[in-house]
Amino acid sequence: AWSDVTFSSRAEPQITVNVPVLSPTNDVVGVLSAEFKINSIFSAISSIGIDEDAQVYVVDSSGALLSGRDLSLVLKGTNYLHRKIVKDTIGTEGDTIVYRDSDEFSYVNEKGVNVLAVGAPLPVTGWAVIFEEPKNNAVTNITKLSIFALSSTVLFIFMVIFLRIIFLRVVLTGKKLEESFLEQNKLF
C-alpha cells in the first residue's frame, strides 16, 4: 500500500510503501516497509523555467498542495480544492489535459495575478499538476504548457513504473526472507 505524501523532519516529501509478508498459506506474518524521498521529482517540477508570474504546482487527491515554488505554502498545508481547475483535474480519469477555452479556469491566484490554468492528472496517485499563466500571456503560451503537461504525465508514468519495479523487488526480497525463515525453522 502507498501512503499519502508526508514530510520528514527536514521538510523533504516522502511516501511510504508497505508490503505484507505472507506465509505459504497466505497468512500475513509481517510487513515490509520502505520510505522513498520524492523531493527530486517535486524539485524538477518546481524549478521549471517559466515566466516569473507563472507557476507549476502539484496537488494530491484532496487538493492539498504538495509542491510549488513557495515552499511555505506547502508546509502550511495550503489546499486548492476550491479552484475549479484542481477539482476538475483530480476528477479526470486517464491522461487527459484539462483545459477549456473560456474564463472557466481563470482566477486570481495568491499573488493577486489574474491567471488562466491548465491541469494534467497524474495516473495511479490521483494527484494533479496544475499550470498557471498570467491571463494576458496565457493565450500565447497555452500550447507550450499543454506540451509540458503531457510530457510531465509521461515522466510520471515512468516514475510509477520505476517505483513498481522497486515495489516488486521488495516483495521478492520479503518472500526470500520468508522462505529462508521457514527453512531454518524446519531444521529445529
Side-chain angles (χ1 to χ4, degrees), residues 46-82:
S46 299
S47 65
I48 294 169
I50 55 176
D51 185 356
E52 188 176 304
D53 290 325
Q55 70 172 337
V56 178
Y57 57 91
V58 179
V59 295
D60 69 11
S61 59
S62 68
L65 184 63
L66 298 176
S67 173
R69 273 192 185 160
D70 188 347
L71 184 59
S72 69
L73 292 174
V74 174
L75 295 175
K76 75 178 184 181
T78 302
N79 190 297
Y80 289 137
L81 193 58
H82 64 278

Side-chain angles (χ1 to χ4, degrees), residues 89-101:
T89 305
I90 289 172
T92 302
E93 293 294 324
D95 58 0
T96 306
I97 295 173
V98 178
Y99 166 72
R100 299 202 181 28
D101 191 14

Side-chain angles (χ1 to χ4, degrees), residues 150-166:
L150 184 59
S151 62
S152 293
T153 301
V154 170
L155 174 67
F156 189 77
I157 289 169
F158 282 120
M159 183 200 75
V160 168
I161 291 169
F162 174 73
L163 287 175
R164 175 93 173 141
I165 291 168
I166 290 172

Side-chain angles (χ1 to χ4, degrees), residues 1-2 17-22 31-34 36 163-179:
W2 301 83
V17 178
N18 296 306
V19 181
V21 177
L22 302 175
V31 176
L32 194 56
S33 184
F36 296 97
L163 287 175
R164 175 93 173 141
I165 291 168
I166 290 172
F167 180 78
L168 291 174
R169 286 185 181 168
V170 168
V171 169
L172 290 175
T173 302
K175 287 190 184 278
K176 287 179 184 176
L177 288 171
E178 175 189 357
E179 289 169 3

Side-chain angles (χ1 to χ4, degrees), residues 75-165:
L75 295 175
K76 75 178 184 181
T78 302
N79 190 297
Y80 289 137
L81 193 58
H82 64 278
R83 293 181 175 171
K84 184 160 178 45
I85 185 68
V86 171
K87 189 180 293 186
D88 285 5
T89 305
I90 289 172
T92 302
E93 293 294 324
D95 58 0
T96 306
I97 295 173
V98 178
Y99 166 72
R100 299 202 181 28
D101 191 14
S102 70
D103 286 339
E104 190 175 11
F105 295 142
S106 177
Y107 51 87
V108 176
N109 68 12
E110 62 278 349
K111 293 181 179 180
V113 177
N114 191 9
V115 297
L116 186 62
V118 175
L122 298 175
V124 179
T125 62
W127 300 349
V129 178
I130 307 297
F131 309 87
E132 291 181 355
E133 182 79 16
K135 196 170 182 182
N136 55 351
N137 296 346
V139 176
T140 58
N141 290 328
I142 203 72
T143 302
K144 179 173 67 172
L145 289 173
S146 296
I147 290 169
F148 177 76
L150 184 59
S151 62
S152 293
T153 301
V154 170
L155 174 67
F156 189 77
I157 289 169
F158 282 120
M159 183 200 75
V160 168
I161 291 169
F162 174 73
L163 287 175
R164 175 93 173 141
I165 291 168

Side-chain angles (χ1 to χ4, degrees), residues 24 175-188:
K175 287 190 184 278
K176 287 179 184 176
L177 288 171
E178 175 189 357
E179 289 169 3
S180 174
F181 175 76
L182 292 172
E183 188 63 35
Q184 289 176 359
N185 285 337
K186 285 182 183 179
L187 297 175
F188 295 108

